[in-house]
Amino acid sequence: MSVELNELTVGQDIGSRAIDVSRADLVRYAGASGDFNPIHWNGRFAEQVGLPGVIAHGMFTMGAAVQLVTDWIGNPAAVVDYQTRFTKPVLVEDVDGPGASIEVSGAIGAIDADNGTARVDLTVTAAGVKVLVKAQAVVKVW
């Protein structure tokens, strides 16, 4: 997909998607990231430390959300900045198949014509609750 800066407008929708998450996804992410904290795979441990159950890694959630932006812009290298605040954990139930679904939508929040960039504001929820706030990716538009 080719994105032209002069064709973008503030408020423009870039799309949305649902990302299914299973406990197996969390185990794979733990292996790739080296984050083997048991709150991400052991329900009994997670509950003992006060969580409602196994929760997704924050960085897993953040990375899954920005995929909407990289697919829209067509080049992961175009993302020159990405920031968010974590507000609520994504609870991943122990079921066959997806134990959670992360809903992501994005819209153009700002355009910087001088620098050839656009800021994409993401809305990220799970179970109807915002799990990331101020999720913003700045992309270079060539």
Side-chain angles (χ1 to χ4, degrees), residues 13-26:
D13 180 33
I14 69 154
S16 62
R17 71 168 37 149
I19 303 155
D20 290 334
V21 183
S22 69
R23 293 264 180 107
D25 293 327
L26 301 183

Side-chain angles (χ1 to χ4, degrees), residues 19 36 47 51 55 130 138:
I19 303 155
F36 293 100
E47 289 170 4
L51 294 168
I55 62 170
K130 283 190 177 183
V138 176

Side-chain angles (χ1 to χ4, degrees), residues 66-81:
V66 79
Q67 186 68 44
L68 177 70
V69 177
T70 61
D71 288 350
W72 167 75
I73 197 71
N75 178 0
V79 177
V80 296
D81 187 52

Side-chain angles (χ1 to χ4, degrees), residues 37-39 42-55 89 91:
N37 188 324
I39 65 173
N42 183 320
R44 187 176 68 251
F45 181 86
E47 289 170 4
Q48 286 174 346
V49 298
L51 294 168
V54 167
I55 62 170
L91 180 64

Side-chain angles (χ1 to χ4, degrees), residues 53-65:
V54 167
I55 62 170
H57 303 73
M59 296 305 284
F60 173 92
T61 304
M62 188 177 176

